[in-house]
């Protein structure tokens, strides 16, 4: 299958089927194969055979091959574009074709983003990005390719949104080292099933200067190693927040810990900590209470799809809660989470909060989406099936009520507040349906009525 990369603010919804345009001439469907849970980039998959069917049009589309930094044995796979390097940025456009701009790597710094309750990801962990001068505009595209002086791809130039579901409203232009996303790209090229390689430590980090690190117990030897490996402005990384508290008897990081190395490799950049690809366990050398010690602890798996099953009932959308929701929730009473609703729908009109865990429908307990589907199927109103015929006969509203039934819905908000409401279902204007997606990265969504 073919793979395309784009900025996260372009492909924001995992349930869409996207249309990809080649050369402004050929349109092919694509599915969101992977939404990186840490970095602002998405991967779409399409069938190249659909291009072959448009051979005459495709012949006018120019295609170029570019090498990637780290392909050769002489260059490490995690090589980065350093400050001061002269680079060339290639940006495609429907109106102007491919334009290239000479630029210089101006800076390298930590960046991240925030999210709201609707965002379907964690809200990118802090990562090290680079800046360019001049700052290259993307125009009507979402991503550019940054090449080094030898013409090898060293990074991506893209828009990092402030809040992912709001798309391009806010945010900044950043450069992302190609080494950060290369493992996902390689996995997508070979994997049939969902790519499942991103692991994290489930904590957030802040930087501390080397002078502060010495006071906190980091040895002079380690500090000298850091200065020799990078520059005098290096920092150490201290745990500032625990995102997922482990059981008391399990080894875990604590706020204030300074991580010196991961699996024997010294930590020089936040990128050494942000993403631990395909590692279920991590061996950390840390400083805690001015004492060095070793921790071996499990990593946390992050999904790159977020959902493969969405249910719409009474105008409200339900799915399994994603990681950002699980982090913010006071408690997790069920595996069914409503995150939005149609304006004017029964759910929208009667429930004070649509971002709610559903715990019961029609006084029947709900723990999974399958529970919700089973209960909704039993709620189908027979009177709605001949509604259109009765409208034509002028008898639709003889009873004075829309077809449907009164249903009690119970739920729990993110703050832990219990909600209960009675809604009047409307099977004509807000029928129940679901969409599902298979386990493979190339599978498309399928719709069915409930």
């Amino acid at each position: 299958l073919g793979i395309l990369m784009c900025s996260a603010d372009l492909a924001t919804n995992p349930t869409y089927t996207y249309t990809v345009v080649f050369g402004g001439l050929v349109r092919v469907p694509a599915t969101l194969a992977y939404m990186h849970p840490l970095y602002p980039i998405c991967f779409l998959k399409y069938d190249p055979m659909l291009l072959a069917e448009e051979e005459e049009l495709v012949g006018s589309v120019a295609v170029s091959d570019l090498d990637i930094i780290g392909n050769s044995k002489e260059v490490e796979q995690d090589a980065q574009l350093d400050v001061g390097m002269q680079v060339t940025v290639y940006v495609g456009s429907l109106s102007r074709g491919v334009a290239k701009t000479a630029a210089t790597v101006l800076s390298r710094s930590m960046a991240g983003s925030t999210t709201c309750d609707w965002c379907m990801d964690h809200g990118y962990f802090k990562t090290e990005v680079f800046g360019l001068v001049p700052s290259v505009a993307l125009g009507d595209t979402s991503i550019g390719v940054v090449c080094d002086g030898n013409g090898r791809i060293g990074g991506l130039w893209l828009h990092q949104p402030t809040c992912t579901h709001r798309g391009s409203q806010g945010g900044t232009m950043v450069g992302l080292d190609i080494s950060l996303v290369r493992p996902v790209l390689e996995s997508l090229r070979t994997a049939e099933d969902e790519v499942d390689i991103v692991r994290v430590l489930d904590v957030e980090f802040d930087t501390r200067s080397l002078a502060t690190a010495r006071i906190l117990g980091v040895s002079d030897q380690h500090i000298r190693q850091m200065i020799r490996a990078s520059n005098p402005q290096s920092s150490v990384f201290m745990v500032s927040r625990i995102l997922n508290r482990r059981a008391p008897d399990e080894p875990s990081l604590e706020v204030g810990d300074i991580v010196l190395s991961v699996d024997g490799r010294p930590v020089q950049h936040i990128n050494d900590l942000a993403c631990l690809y395909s590692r279920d366990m991590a061996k950390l050398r840390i400083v805690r209470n001015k004492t060095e010690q070793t921790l071996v602890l499990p990593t946390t798996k992050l999904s790159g799809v977020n959902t493969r099953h969405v249910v719409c009932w009474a105008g409200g959308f339900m799915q399994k809660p994603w990681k950002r929701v699980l982090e913010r929730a006071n408690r997790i009473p069920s595996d069914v989470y409503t995150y939005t609703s149609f304006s004017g729908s029964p759910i929208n009109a009667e429930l004070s909060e649509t971002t709610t865990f559903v715990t019961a429908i029609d006084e029947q307990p709900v723990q999974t989406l399958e529970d919700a589907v089973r209960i909704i199927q039993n709620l189908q109103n027979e009177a709605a099936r001949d509604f259109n015929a009765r409208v034509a006969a002028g008898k639709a509203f003889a009873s004075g009520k829309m077809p449907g039934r009164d249903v009690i819905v119970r739920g729990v908000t993110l703050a832990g507040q219990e909600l209960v409401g009675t809604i009047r279902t409307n099977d004509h204007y807000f029928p129940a349906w679901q969409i599902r997606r298979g386990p493979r990265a190339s599978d498309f969504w399928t719709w069915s009525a409930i």
Side-chain angles (χ1 to χ4, degrees), residues 59-131:
S60 63
V61 179
V63 178
S64 300
D65 291 327
L66 293 174
D67 194 12
I68 297 177
I69 287 182
N71 272 349
S72 64
K73 296 181 179 180
E74 292 77 16
V75 182
E76 293 188 19
Q77 290 197 359
D78 60 354
Q80 63 183 29
L81 298 174
D82 293 322
V83 174
M85 288 185 64
Q86 304 298 308
V87 296
T88 302
V89 185
Y90 294 87
V91 175
S93 169
L94 289 176
S95 57
R96 304 188 313 272
V98 177
K100 63 179 183 178
T101 304
T104 303
V105 178
L106 176 65
S107 61
R108 296 191 65 91
S109 60
M110 283 207 309
S113 73
T114 59
T115 60
C116 67
D117 296 340
W118 292 338
C119 290
M120 290 190 177
D121 52 43
H122 171 270
Y124 312 118
F125 285 67
K126 291 176 181 177
T127 186
E128 186 172 293
V129 298
F130 60 86

Side-chain angles (χ1 to χ4, degrees), residues 259-282:
V259 181
L260 304 179
S261 66
V262 179
D263 293 334
R265 179 172 180 171
V267 174
Q268 297 290 342
H269 311 280
I270 189 63
N271 294 343
D272 297 329
L273 292 169
C275 185
L276 308 177
Y277 282 113
S278 302
R279 280 181 272 185
D280 294 327
M281 302 292 295

Side-chain angles (χ1 to χ4, degrees), residues 228-404:
R228 285 197 299 267
S230 51
N231 58 70
Q233 304 303 317
S234 294
S235 302
V236 296
F237 297 96
M238 175 185 285
V239 177
S240 60
R241 181 187 175 200
I242 307 297
L243 299 176
N244 185 19
R245 181 67 64 179
R246 302 188 186 278
D249 58 340
E250 293 184 356
S252 62
L253 288 168
E254 297 179 0
V255 172
D257 287 349
I258 296 175
V259 181
L260 304 179
S261 66
V262 179
D263 293 334
R265 179 172 180 171
V267 174
Q268 297 290 342
H269 311 280
I270 189 63
N271 294 343
D272 297 329
L273 292 169
C275 185
L276 308 177
Y277 282 113
S278 302
R279 280 181 272 185
D280 294 327
M281 302 292 295
K283 182 179 180 180
L284 309 180
R285 189 67 178 167
I286 68 169
V287 172
R288 177 182 294 173
N289 299 326
K290 296 188 176 182
T291 302
E292 282 197 24
Q293 57 182 277
T294 299
L295 281 181
V296 179
L297 68 163
T299 58
T300 299
K301 177 172 62 177
L302 297 187
S303 170
V305 176
N306 295 305
T307 183
R308 293 186 179 274
H309 188 193
V310 176
V311 174
C312 181
W313 173 67
F317 291 83
M318 297 179 281
Q319 71 165 69
K320 289 184 64 173
W322 51 93
K323 190 174 186 297
R324 177 62 173 173
V325 173
L326 298 177
E327 289 173 359
R328 299 192 62 178
N330 183 276
R331 60 190 176 99
I332 315 296
S334 82
D335 216 18
V336 179
Y337 182 71
T338 64
Y339 58 97
T340 189
S341 62
F342 287 121
S343 178
S345 67
I347 290 287
N348 181 266
E350 298 300 332
L351 292 185
S352 59
E353 288 194 40
T354 54
T355 52
T356 302
F357 294 96
V358 178
T359 56
I361 298 175
D362 198 34
E363 300 293 39
Q364 300 179 59
V366 172
Q367 281 296 310
T368 67
L369 284 172
E370 299 302 334
D371 292 339
V373 170
R374 173 179 49 80
I375 296 169
I376 292 168
Q377 286 174 333
N378 294 331
L379 292 176
Q380 295 302 308
N381 188 272
E382 296 290 335
R385 297 183 180 179
D386 62 342
F387 179 73
N388 289 332
R390 290 187 291 117
V391 168
K395 300 179 180 180
F397 302 101
S399 65
K401 293 184 178 180
M402 286 288 293

